[in-house]
Coordinates of all heavy atoms in Angstrom, one line a residue:
M1 N -2.8 12.1 3.8 CA -2.0 11.7 2.7 C -2.6 10.5 2.1 O -3.0 9.5 2.7 CB -0.5 11.4 3.3 CG 0.6 11.8 2.5 SD 2.3 11.5 3.1 CE 2.4 12.8 4.2
F2 N -2.3 10.4 0.7 CA -2.8 9.3 0.0 C -1.5 8.4 -0.4 O -0.6 8.9 -0.9 CB -3.5 9.7 -1.2 CG -4.9 10.3 -0.8 CD1 -4.8 11.7 -0.6 CD2 -6.0 9.8 -0.6 CE1 -5.9 12.3 -0.2 CE2 -7.3 10.3 -0.1 CZ -7.2 11.7 0.0
W3 N -1.6 7.0 -0.3 CA -0.4 6.2 -0.5 C -0.6 5.2 -1.7 O -1.8 4.8 -1.9 CB -0.3 5.4 0.9 CG 0.0 6.3 2.0 CD1 -0.8 6.7 3.0 CD2 1.3 6.8 2.3 NE1 -0.2 7.5 3.8 CE2 1.2 7.7 3.5 CE3 2.6 6.8 1.7 CZ2 2.3 8.3 4.0 CZ3 3.7 7.5 2.4 CH2 3.4 8.1 3.6
A4 N 0.7 5.0 -2.2 CA 0.7 3.9 -3.2 C 2.0 3.0 -3.0 O 3.0 3.7 -2.5 CB 0.6 4.4 -4.6
T5 N 2.1 2.0 -3.6 CA 3.3 1.0 -3.5 C 3.7 0.2 -4.7 O 2.7 0.1 -5.4 CB 3.1 0.3 -2.2 OG1 4.4 -0.4 -2.0 CG2 2.0 -0.8 -2.4
R6 N 4.8 0.0 -4.8 CA 5.3 -1.1 -5.8 C 6.5 -1.7 -5.5 O 7.4 -1.1 -4.7 CB 5.2 -0.5 -7.2 CG 6.5 0.4 -7.6 CD 6.6 0.8 -9.0 NE 6.9 -0.4 -9.8 CZ 6.7 -0.4 -11.0 NH1 6.4 0.7 -11.7 NH2 7.0 -1.5 -11.7
L7 N 6.8 -2.9 -5.9 CA 8.0 -3.6 -5.9 C 9.0 -3.2 -7.0 O 8.5 -3.0 -8.1 CB 7.8 -5.1 -5.9 CG 7.1 -5.7 -4.8 CD1 7.0 -7.2 -5.0 CD2 7.9 -5.5 -3.5
I8 N 10.3 -3.0 -6.7 CA 11.2 -2.7 -7.7 C 12.6 -3.5 -7.4 O 12.8 -3.9 -6.3 CB 11.6 -1.3 -7.8 CG1 12.3 -0.7 -6.5 CG2 10.4 -0.4 -8.3 CD1 13.0 0.6 -6.7
V9 N 13.3 -3.6 -8.4 CA 14.8 -4.2 -8.3 C 15.5 -3.1 -7.6 O 15.3 -1.9 -8.0 CB 15.3 -4.6 -9.6 CG1 16.8 -5.2 -9.3 CG2 14.5 -5.7 -10.2
N10 N 16.3 -3.4 -6.7 CA 17.0 -2.3 -5.8 C 17.7 -1.2 -6.7 O 17.7 -0.2 -6.3 CB 18.1 -3.1 -5.0 CG 17.5 -3.6 -3.8 OD1 16.3 -3.6 -3.5 ND2 18.3 -4.4 -3.1
D11 N 18.3 -1.6 -7.8 CA 19.1 -0.6 -8.6 C 18.1 0.3 -9.4 O 18.6 1.2 -10.1 CB 20.1 -1.3 -9.5 CG 19.6 -2.2 -10.6 OD1 18.2 -2.5 -10.6 OD2 20.4 -2.7 -11.3
E12 N 16.8 0.1 -9.4 CA 15.9 1.0 -10.1 C 15.5 2.2 -9.2 O 14.9 3.2 -9.8 CB 14.6 0.2 -10.5 CG 14.8 -0.9 -11.5 CD 13.6 -1.7 -11.6 OE1 12.7 -1.9 -10.9 OE2 13.4 -1.9 -12.9
W13 N 15.8 2.4 -8.0 CA 15.2 3.3 -7.2 C 15.6 4.8 -7.5 O 14.8 5.7 -7.4 CB 15.5 3.1 -5.7 CG 16.9 3.4 -5.2 CD1 18.0 2.5 -5.4 CD2 17.4 4.6 -4.7 NE1 19.1 3.1 -4.9 CE2 18.9 4.5 -4.5 CE3 16.8 5.8 -4.4 CZ2 19.5 5.4 -3.9 CZ3 17.6 6.7 -3.8 CH2 19.0 6.5 -3.6
L14 N 16.7 5.0 -8.1 CA 17.3 6.3 -8.6 C 16.2 6.9 -9.7 O 16.0 8.1 -9.5 CB 18.6 6.3 -9.1 CG 19.6 6.2 -7.9 CD1 21.0 6.0 -8.6 CD2 19.5 7.6 -7.2
E15 N 15.8 6.0 -10.5 CA 14.8 6.6 -11.5 C 13.5 7.1 -10.9 O 12.8 8.0 -11.2 CB 14.6 5.7 -12.6 CG 13.7 4.6 -12.4 CD 13.5 3.7 -13.7 OE1 14.5 3.0 -14.1 OE2 12.2 3.5 -14.3
Y16 N 13.0 6.3 -9.9 CA 11.8 6.7 -9.3 C 12.0 7.9 -8.3 O 11.1 8.6 -8.2 CB 11.2 5.6 -8.4 CG 10.8 4.3 -9.3 CD1 11.4 3.3 -9.5 CD2 9.5 4.4 -9.8 CE1 11.1 2.3 -10.3 CE2 8.9 3.5 -10.6 CZ 9.8 2.5 -11.0 OH 9.3 1.3 -11.6
L17 N 13.2 8.2 -7.7 CA 13.5 9.2 -7.0 C 13.5 10.5 -7.9 O 13.0 11.5 -7.5 CB 15.0 9.1 -6.4 CG 15.5 10.4 -5.7 CD1 14.8 10.6 -4.4 CD2 16.9 10.0 -5.2
S18 N 14.0 10.3 -9.0 CA 14.1 11.5 -10.0 C 12.7 11.9 -10.3 O 12.3 13.1 -10.5 CB 14.8 11.2 -11.2 OG 16.2 11.0 -11.0
A19 N 11.8 10.9 -10.6 CA 10.4 11.2 -11.1 C 9.7 11.9 -9.9 O 8.9 12.8 -10.0 CB 9.6 9.9 -11.5
F20 N 9.9 11.4 -8.7 CA 9.2 11.9 -7.5 C 9.7 13.3 -7.3 O 8.9 14.1 -7.1 CB 9.6 11.1 -6.2 CG 9.1 11.7 -4.9 CD1 7.8 11.4 -4.5 CD2 9.8 12.6 -4.3 CE1 7.3 11.9 -3.4 CE2 9.3 13.1 -3.1 CZ 8.0 13.0 -2.7
E21 N 11.0 13.5 -7.3 CA 11.5 15.0 -7.2 C 11.0 15.9 -8.3 O 10.6 17.0 -7.9 CB 13.1 15.0 -7.1 CG 13.6 14.4 -5.8 CD 15.0 14.3 -5.6 OE1 15.8 14.3 -6.8 OE2 15.5 14.2 -4.6
A22 N 10.8 15.5 -9.5 CA 10.1 16.4 -10.4 C 8.8 16.6 -10.1 O 8.3 17.8 -10.4 CB 10.3 15.6 -11.9
H23 N 8.1 15.7 -9.7 CA 6.6 15.9 -9.4 C 6.4 16.8 -8.1 O 5.6 17.7 -8.1 CB 6.0 14.4 -9.0 CG 4.5 14.5 -8.9 ND1 3.9 13.7 -8.1 CD2 3.6 15.3 -9.6 CE1 2.6 14.0 -8.2 NE2 2.4 15.0 -9.0
W24 N 7.3 16.5 -7.1 CA 7.4 17.4 -5.9 C 7.5 18.8 -6.2 O 7.0 19.7 -5.7 CB 8.4 16.7 -5.0 CG 8.3 17.2 -3.5 CD1 7.2 17.6 -2.8 CD2 9.3 17.4 -2.6 NE1 7.5 17.8 -1.5 CE2 8.9 17.7 -1.3 CE3 10.7 17.2 -2.7 CZ2 9.6 18.0 -0.2 CZ3 11.6 17.3 -1.6 CH2 11.0 17.7 -0.4
Q25 N 8.6 19.1 -7.1 CA 8.8 20.4 -7.6 C 7.7 21.0 -8.4 O 7.3 22.1 -8.0 CB 10.1 20.5 -8.4 CG 10.5 21.8 -8.9 CD 11.7 21.8 -9.9 OE1 12.2 20.8 -10.3 NE2 12.3 22.9 -10.1
L26 N 7.0 20.2 -9.2 CA 5.8 20.7 -9.9 C 4.8 21.1 -9.0 O 4.0 22.1 -9.2 CB 5.4 19.5 -10.8 CG 4.1 19.9 -11.7 CD1 4.5 21.0 -12.8 CD2 3.7 18.6 -12.3
L27 N 4.6 20.4 -7.8 CA 3.5 20.7 -6.9 C 4.0 21.8 -6.0 O 3.1 22.0 -5.0 CB 3.0 19.5 -6.2 CG 2.3 18.4 -7.1 CD1 2.0 17.1 -6.3 CD2 1.2 19.0 -7.8
R28 N 5.2 22.3 -6.1 CA 5.7 23.4 -5.2 C 6.1 22.8 -3.8 O 5.8 23.4 -2.8 CB 4.8 24.6 -5.2 CG 4.7 25.3 -6.5 CD 4.2 26.6 -6.4 NE 4.2 27.3 -7.6 CZ 3.2 27.5 -8.5 NH1 2.0 27.2 -8.1 NH2 3.3 28.1 -9.7
Y29 N 6.5 21.6 -3.7 CA 7.1 21.0 -2.5 C 6.1 20.9 -1.3 O 6.3 21.5 -0.3 CB 8.4 21.8 -2.1 CG 9.5 21.9 -3.1 CD1 9.7 23.0 -3.9 CD2 10.1 20.8 -3.5 CE1 10.5 23.1 -4.9 CE2 11.3 20.9 -4.3 CZ 11.4 22.0 -5.1 OH 12.3 22.1 -6.2
P30 N 5.0 20.3 -1.7 CA 4.1 20.1 -0.5 C 4.7 19.4 0.8 O 5.4 18.4 0.5 CB 2.8 19.4 -1.1 CG 3.5 18.7 -2.2 CD 4.5 19.5 -2.8
R31 N 4.2 19.8 1.9 CA 4.6 19.1 3.2 C 4.3 17.6 3.2 O 5.0 16.8 3.5 CB 4.1 19.7 4.4 CG 4.8 21.0 4.8 CD 4.2 21.6 6.0 NE 4.3 20.7 7.1 CZ 5.3 20.5 7.9 NH1 6.5 21.1 7.5 NH2 5.5 19.7 8.8
D32 N 3.1 17.3 2.7 CA 2.5 15.9 2.8 C 2.7 15.2 1.5 O 1.9 14.7 0.9 CB 1.1 16.1 3.0 CG 0.3 17.0 2.2 OD1 0.9 17.6 1.4 OD2 -1.1 16.9 2.4
M33 N 4.1 15.0 1.2 CA 4.5 14.1 0.1 C 5.9 13.5 0.5 O 6.8 14.1 0.8 CB 4.7 15.2 -1.2 CG 4.8 14.4 -2.4 SD 4.5 15.5 -3.9 CE 5.0 14.4 -5.2
L34 N 5.9 12.2 0.4 CA 7.0 11.4 0.8 C 7.2 10.3 -0.2 O 6.4 9.7 -0.8 CB 6.8 10.8 2.2 CG 6.6 11.9 3.4 CD1 6.2 10.9 4.6 CD2 7.8 12.6 3.7
L35 N 8.6 9.9 -0.3 CA 8.9 8.7 -1.2 C 9.8 7.9 -0.1 O 10.8 8.4 0.4 CB 9.7 9.0 -2.3 CG 10.2 8.0 -3.1 CD1 9.0 7.1 -3.7 CD2 11.2 8.3 -4.2
M36 N 9.4 6.7 0.1 CA 10.0 5.8 1.0 C 10.2 4.4 0.5 O 9.7 4.0 -0.4 CB 9.3 5.8 2.4 CG 8.9 7.1 3.0 SD 7.9 7.0 4.4 CE 6.4 6.2 3.7
A37 N 11.1 3.7 1.2 CA 11.4 2.2 0.7 C 11.7 1.3 1.8 O 11.8 1.9 3.0 CB 12.7 2.3 -0.1
A38 N 11.3 0.1 1.5 CA 11.7 -1.0 2.6 C 12.2 -2.2 1.9 O 11.7 -2.5 0.8 CB 10.3 -1.4 3.3
N39 N 13.1 -2.7 2.4 CA 13.6 -3.9 1.7 C 12.9 -5.1 1.8 O 12.4 -5.4 3.0 CB 15.2 -4.2 2.4 CG 16.3 -3.2 1.9 OD1 16.1 -2.7 0.8 ND2 17.1 -2.9 2.9
E40 N 12.6 -5.8 0.6 CA 11.8 -7.0 0.6 C 12.8 -8.2 0.8 O 12.5 -9.1 1.5 CB 11.0 -7.0 -0.5 CG 9.8 -6.0 -0.7 CD 8.6 -6.5 0.2 OE1 8.1 -7.7 0.1 OE2 8.1 -5.6 0.9
T41 N 13.8 -8.2 -0.2 CA 14.8 -9.3 -0.2 C 16.1 -8.6 -0.4 O 16.0 -7.3 -0.5 CB 14.6 -10.3 -1.3 OG1 14.7 -9.6 -2.6 CG2 13.1 -10.9 -1.2
C42 N 17.2 -9.2 -0.5 CA 18.5 -8.5 -0.8 C 18.4 -7.8 -2.2 O 19.4 -7.0 -2.3 CB 19.8 -9.5 -0.7 SG 19.6 -10.9 -1.7
T43 N 17.6 -8.3 -3.2 CA 17.5 -7.6 -4.5 C 16.2 -6.9 -4.8 O 16.2 -6.2 -5.8 CB 17.8 -8.7 -5.5 OG1 16.8 -9.7 -5.6 CG2 19.2 -9.4 -5.4
V44 N 15.3 -6.9 -4.0 CA 14.0 -6.3 -4.2 C 13.6 -5.3 -3.1 O 13.9 -5.8 -1.9 CB 12.9 -7.3 -4.4 CG1 11.6 -6.7 -4.6 CG2 13.2 -8.2 -5.6
M45 N 13.2 -4.2 -3.5 CA 12.6 -3.2 -2.5 C 11.2 -2.8 -2.8 O 10.7 -2.9 -3.8 CB 13.6 -2.0 -2.2 CG 13.6 -1.0 -3.3 SD 14.6 0.4 -3.1 CE 15.9 0.0 -2.0
R46 N 10.5 -2.5 -1.7 CA 9.1 -1.9 -1.9 C 9.3 -0.4 -1.7 O 9.6 0.1 -0.8 CB 8.1 -2.5 -1.0 CG 6.6 -2.0 -1.2 CD 5.7 -2.8 -0.3 NE 5.6 -4.1 -1.1 CZ 4.8 -4.5 -2.0 NH1 4.2 -3.5 -2.7 NH2 4.8 -5.8 -2.3
L47 N 8.8 0.3 -2.8 CA 8.7 1.7 -2.6 C 7.2 2.2 -2.3 O 6.1 1.5 -2.5 CB 8.9 2.3 -4.1 CG 10.3 2.4 -4.6 CD1 10.4 3.1 -5.9 CD2 11.3 3.0 -3.7
F48 N 7.2 3.3 -1.5 CA 6.0 3.7 -1.0 C 6.0 5.3 -1.4 O 6.9 6.0 -1.0 CB 5.8 3.7 0.5 CG 5.7 2.2 1.0 CD1 6.8 1.7 1.4 CD2 4.4 1.6 1.0 CE1 6.7 0.3 1.8 CE2 4.5 0.3 1.4 CZ 5.6 -0.4 1.8
V49 N 4.9 5.8 -1.9 CA 4.9 7.1 -2.3 C 3.5 7.7 -1.6 O 2.5 7.1 -1.6 CB 4.8 7.5 -3.8 CG1 3.7 7.0 -4.5 CG2 4.8 8.9 -4.2
G50 N 3.7 8.8 -0.9 CA 2.6 9.5 -0.3 C 2.4 10.9 -1.0 O 3.4 11.6 -1.1
V51 N 1.3 11.3 -1.2 CA 0.9 12.5 -2.0 C -0.3 13.1 -1.3 O -1.2 12.5 -0.7 CB 0.7 12.2 -3.5 CG1 1.9 11.7 -4.2 CG2 -0.5 11.2 -3.6
P52 N -0.4 14.4 -1.6 CA -1.6 15.2 -1.0 C -3.0 14.9 -1.5 O -3.9 15.0 -0.6 CB -1.2 16.8 -1.2 CG 0.0 16.7 -2.2 CD 0.4 15.4 -2.4
R53 N -3.1 14.6 -2.7 CA -4.5 14.4 -3.3 C -4.5 12.9 -4.0 O -3.4 12.6 -4.5 CB -4.8 15.4 -4.2 CG -4.8 16.8 -3.6 CD -4.9 18.0 -4.7 NE -3.8 17.6 -5.7 CZ -3.5 18.4 -6.6 NH1 -4.3 19.5 -6.9 NH2 -2.9 18.1 -7.6
P54 N -5.7 12.3 -4.0 CA -5.7 11.0 -4.7 C -5.3 11.0 -6.2 O -4.7 10.2 -6.7 CB -6.9 10.5 -4.5 CG -7.8 11.7 -4.0 CD -6.8 12.7 -3.4
E55 N -5.6 12.2 -6.9 CA -5.3 12.3 -8.3 C -3.8 12.4 -8.5 O -3.3 12.2 -9.6 CB -6.1 13.4 -8.9 CG -5.9 14.8 -8.2 CD -6.8 15.1 -7.2 OE1 -7.4 14.3 -6.6 OE2 -7.0 16.4 -7.0
D56 N -3.0 12.8 -7.5 CA -1.6 12.8 -7.7 C -0.9 11.5 -7.8 O 0.2 11.4 -8.4 CB -0.9 13.6 -6.5 CG -1.3 15.0 -6.3 OD1 -1.5 15.8 -7.3 OD2 -1.4 15.5 -5.3
L57 N -1.6 10.5 -7.5 CA -1.2 9.1 -7.6 C -1.2 8.7 -9.0 O -0.3 7.9 -9.3 CB -2.1 8.1 -6.8 CG -1.9 8.2 -5.2 CD1 -2.9 7.2 -4.6 CD2 -0.5 7.9 -4.8
L58 N -1.8 9.4 -9.9 CA -1.8 9.1 -11.4 C -0.4 9.2 -11.9 O -0.1 8.6 -13.0 CB -2.8 9.8 -12.0 CG -4.2 9.6 -11.6 CD1 -5.2 10.6 -12.5 CD2 -4.8 8.1 -12.0
A59 N 0.5 10.1 -11.3 CA 1.7 10.2 -11.8 C 2.7 9.0 -11.6 O 3.8 9.1 -12.1 CB 2.4 11.4 -11.1
Y60 N 2.2 8.0 -10.9 CA 3.1 6.9 -10.5 C 2.5 5.7 -11.2 O 2.0 4.8 -10.5 CB 3.2 6.8 -8.9 CG 3.8 8.1 -8.5 CD1 2.9 9.1 -8.0 CD2 5.2 8.3 -8.4 CE1 3.4 10.4 -7.5 CE2 5.7 9.5 -7.9 CZ 4.9 10.5 -7.6 OH 5.5 11.6 -7.1
S61 N 3.0 5.4 -12.4 CA 2.6 4.3 -13.0 C 3.1 3.0 -12.5 O 4.4 2.9 -12.1 CB 3.1 4.4 -14.5 OG 2.7 3.3 -15.3
G62 N 2.2 2.0 -12.5 CA 2.8 0.8 -11.9 C 2.7 0.6 -10.3 O 2.8 -0.4 -9.8
F63 N 2.3 1.7 -9.6 CA 2.1 1.7 -8.3 C 0.6 1.4 -7.9 O -0.4 1.7 -8.7 CB 2.3 3.1 -7.6 CG 3.8 3.4 -7.4 CD1 4.6 3.7 -8.5 CD2 4.2 3.6 -6.2 CE1 5.9 4.1 -8.3 CE2 5.6 3.7 -5.9 CZ 6.3 4.0 -7.0
E64 N 0.3 0.7 -6.8 CA -1.0 0.3 -6.5 C -1.4 1.1 -5.2 O -0.6 1.1 -4.2 CB -1.1 -1.3 -6.1 CG -0.9 -2.1 -7.4 CD -1.0 -3.5 -7.0 OE1 -1.4 -3.8 -5.9 OE2 -0.7 -4.3 -7.8
Q65 N -2.5 1.6 -5.1 CA -3.1 2.5 -4.0 C -3.0 1.5 -2.8 O -3.3 0.3 -2.9 CB -4.4 3.1 -4.2 CG -4.6 4.2 -3.3 CD -5.9 5.0 -3.7 OE1 -6.3 4.9 -4.7 NE2 -6.2 5.9 -2.8
T66 N -2.6 2.1 -1.7 CA -2.5 1.2 -0.4 C -3.0 2.2 0.8 O -3.2 3.3 0.5 CB -1.2 0.6 -0.1 OG1 -1.4 -0.2 1.0 CG2 -0.2 1.7 0.2
E67 N -3.4 1.6 1.8 CA -3.7 2.4 3.1 C -2.5 2.7 3.9 O -1.5 1.9 4.1 CB -4.7 1.6 3.9 CG -6.0 1.4 3.1 CD -6.7 2.7 2.7 OE1 -6.7 3.7 3.5 OE2 -7.4 2.8 1.6
R68 N -2.5 3.7 4.8 CA -1.4 4.0 5.7 C -1.1 2.9 6.6 O 0.1 2.6 6.9 CB -2.0 5.3 6.5 CG -1.2 5.7 7.8 CD 0.2 6.3 7.5 NE 0.9 6.7 8.7 CZ 1.7 6.1 9.4 NH1 1.9 4.8 9.2 NH2 2.3 6.5 10.4
I69 N -2.1 2.1 7.0 CA -1.9 1.0 8.0 C -0.9 -0.1 7.4 O -0.3 -0.8 8.0 CB -3.2 0.4 8.4 CG1 -3.1 -0.6 9.5 CG2 -3.9 -0.3 7.3 CD1 -3.4 -0.2 10.8
A70 N -0.9 -0.2 6.0 CA -0.1 -1.1 5.3 C 1.5 -0.7 5.2 O 2.3 -1.5 4.8 CB -0.5 -1.3 3.9
L71 N 1.6 0.4 5.6 CA 3.2 1.0 5.5 C 3.9 0.3 6.6 O 3.4 0.0 7.7 CB 3.2 2.5 5.7 CG 3.1 3.3 4.5 CD1 1.7 3.2 4.0 CD2 3.5 4.7 4.6
P72 N 5.2 0.1 6.4 CA 6.0 -0.5 7.3 C 6.3 0.5 8.5 O 6.2 1.6 8.4 CB 7.4 -0.8 6.6 CG 7.4 0.2 5.4 CD 5.9 0.3 5.1
R73 N 6.6 -0.2 9.6 CA 6.9 0.6 10.9 C 8.1 1.6 10.8 O 8.1 2.7 11.4 CB 7.0 -0.3 12.0 CG 5.9 -1.0 12.5 CD 6.1 -2.1 13.7 NE 6.4 -1.3 14.7 CZ 5.6 -1.0 15.9 NH1 4.4 -1.6 15.8 NH2 6.0 -0.4 16.9
A74 N 9.1 1.3 10.1 CA 10.3 2.0 10.0 C 10.9 2.1 8.5 O 11.9 1.5 8.2 CB 11.3 1.6 10.9
P75 N 10.1 2.8 7.5 CA 10.6 2.7 6.2 C 11.8 3.7 6.1 O 12.1 4.4 7.0 CB 9.5 3.3 5.4 CG 8.7 4.1 6.3 CD 8.9 3.4 7.7
I76 N 12.6 3.7 5.0 CA 13.7 4.5 4.7 C 13.2 5.7 3.9 O 12.5 5.5 2.9 CB 14.7 3.7 3.8 CG1 15.2 2.4 4.6 CG2 15.9 4.5 3.5 CD1 15.8 1.5 3.8
L77 N 13.4 6.9 4.4 CA 13.0 8.0 3.7 C 14.1 8.3 2.4 O 15.2 8.4 2.7 CB 13.1 9.2 4.7 CG 12.6 10.5 4.0 CD1 11.2 10.7 3.6 CD2 12.9 11.8 5.0
L78 N 13.4 8.4 1.4 CA 14.3 8.6 0.1 C 14.0 10.1 -0.3 O 15.0 10.7 -0.8 CB 13.8 7.8 -1.0 CG 14.0 6.2 -0.9 CD1 13.5 5.5 -2.1 CD2 15.4 5.9 -0.5
A79 N 12.9 10.7 -0.2 CA 12.7 12.1 -0.5 C 11.5 12.6 0.2 O 10.5 11.9 0.6 CB 12.5 12.3 -2.0
G80 N 11.4 13.9 0.5 CA 10.3 14.4 1.2 C 10.9 15.2 2.3 O 12.1 15.3 2.6
R81 N 10.1 15.8 3.1 CA 10.4 16.6 4.3 C 10.6 15.6 5.5 O 9.8 14.9 6.0 CB 9.3 17.6 4.6 CG 9.1 18.5 3.6 CD 8.2 19.7 4.0 NE 8.0 20.6 2.9 CZ 8.6 21.8 2.8 NH1 9.5 22.2 3.8 NH2 8.3 22.4 1.8
H82 N 11.9 15.7 6.0 CA 12.3 15.0 7.1 C 11.5 15.0 8.4 O 11.2 14.1 9.1 CB 13.8 15.3 7.4 CG 14.3 14.3 8.4 ND1 14.4 14.4 9.7 CD2 14.8 13.0 8.1 CE1 14.9 13.3 10.2 NE2 15.2 12.4 9.3
E83 N 11.0 16.3 8.7 CA 10.1 16.6 9.8 C 8.9 15.8 9.8 O 8.3 15.4 10.7 CB 10.0 18.0 10.2 CG 9.3 18.9 9.2 CD 10.2 19.4 8.0 OE1 11.3 19.0 7.8 OE2 9.5 20.2 7.3
V84 N 8.3 15.6 8.6 CA 7.1 15.1 8.4 C 7.2 13.5 8.6 O 6.4 12.8 9.3 CB 6.4 15.3 7.0 CG1 5.2 14.5 6.7 CG2 6.1 16.8 6.9
Y85 N 8.3 13.0 7.9 CA 8.7 11.5 8.2 C 8.9 11.2 9.6 O 8.4 10.4 10.0 CB 9.9 11.4 7.3 CG 10.6 10.0 7.7 CD1 10.1 8.8 7.1 CD2 11.7 9.9 8.5 CE1 10.7 7.7 7.4 CE2 12.3 8.7 8.8 CZ 11.7 7.6 8.3 OH 12.3 6.3 8.5
Q86 N 9.7 12.1 10.4 CA 9.9 11.7 11.8 C 8.6 11.7 12.6 O 8.4 11.0 13.4 CB 10.7 12.9 12.4 CG 12.2 12.7 12.1 CD 13.0 13.8 12.9 OE1 12.8 15.0 12.7 NE2 14.0 13.3 13.7
A87 N 7.7 12.8 12.3 CA 6.4 12.8 13.0 C 5.6 11.6 12.8 O 4.9 11.1 13.7 CB 5.7 14.0 12.5
M88 N 5.6 11.0 11.5 CA 4.8 9.9 11.3 C 5.5 8.5 11.7 O 4.7 7.6 12.1 CB 4.6 9.8 9.8 CG 3.8 10.9 9.2 SD 3.5 10.8 7.5 CE 2.3 9.4 7.4
F89 N 6.8 8.3 11.6 CA 7.4 7.1 11.9 C 8.4 7.1 13.0 O 8.6 5.9 13.5 CB 8.1 6.7 10.4 CG 7.2 6.5 9.4 CD1 7.0 7.6 8.4 CD2 6.4 5.3 9.3 CE1 6.1 7.3 7.5 CE2 5.5 5.1 8.3 CZ 5.3 6.2 7.4
Q90 N 8.9 8.2 13.4 CA 9.9 8.0 14.5 C 9.3 8.4 15.9 O 10.0 8.2 16.9 CB 11.1 8.8 14.2 CG 11.9 8.3 13.1 CD 13.1 9.1 12.8 OE1 13.3 10.1 13.0 NE2 14.0 8.3 12.0
T91 N 8.1 9.0 15.9 CA 7.5 9.4 17.1 C 6.2 8.5 17.3 O 5.4 8.8 18.2 CB 7.1 10.7 17.1 OG1 6.2 11.2 16.1 CG2 8.4 11.6 17.1
G92 N 6.0 7.6 16.5 CA 4.7 6.7 16.5 C 3.5 7.3 16.1 O 2.3 6.9 16.3
G93 N 3.5 8.5 15.2 CA 2.4 9.2 14.7 C 1.8 8.5 13.7 O 0.8 8.5 13.3

């Protein structure tokens, strides 16, 4: 999976969720695609998007590419396959 991240104001996450879901549908719901969040402060959150190919990151304007190691230990799953999220973050994968 290829990863990117960006900071947003907490109330902006729904617009990113909508964009992610449209992209996920366009790609026919690949298993290796996740949208997650982690709170930075009480008003700011960091979004993380994981996609199957590096060129898929181009759909996420304002996101910066990052490595898997930079992801938080327990992010909040916003969209994607729960079983993939569980395998990666709840079982230490």
Side-chain angles (χ1 to χ4, degrees):
M1 214 179 282
F2 297 89
W3 296 96
T5 186
R6 79 169 290 162
L7 289 174
I8 64 164
V9 177
N10 285 352
D11 61 359
E12 296 177 321
W13 73 274
L14 282 174
E15 81 180 61
Y16 290 96
L17 175 63
S18 295
F20 176 88
E21 287 178 337
H23 189 216
W24 196 30
Q25 180 181 13
L26 179 70
L27 296 178
R28 296 192 171 109
Y29 306 102
R31 289 183 55 79
D32 51 351
M33 197 164 166
L34 298 172
L35 180 66
M36 303 176 303
N39 290 325
E40 292 279 319
T41 69
C42 61
T43 59
V44 175
M45 68 174 34
R46 180 167 292 281
L47 290 182
F48 297 91
V49 62
V51 293
R53 303 170 307 188
E55 58 267 24
D56 293 326
L57 292 174
L58 296 174
Y60 299 93
S61 178
F63 280 71
E64 295 179 12
Q65 194 163 356
T66 191
E67 298 295 323
R68 165 73 170 90
I69 190 104
L71 274 69
R73 294 177 62 106
I76 302 161
L77 178 66
L78 300 176
R81 297 193 184 257
H82 191 263
E83 66 272 14
V84 174
Y85 167 80
Q86 275 188 308
M88 291 181 75
F89 296 99
Q90 294 182 340
T91 60

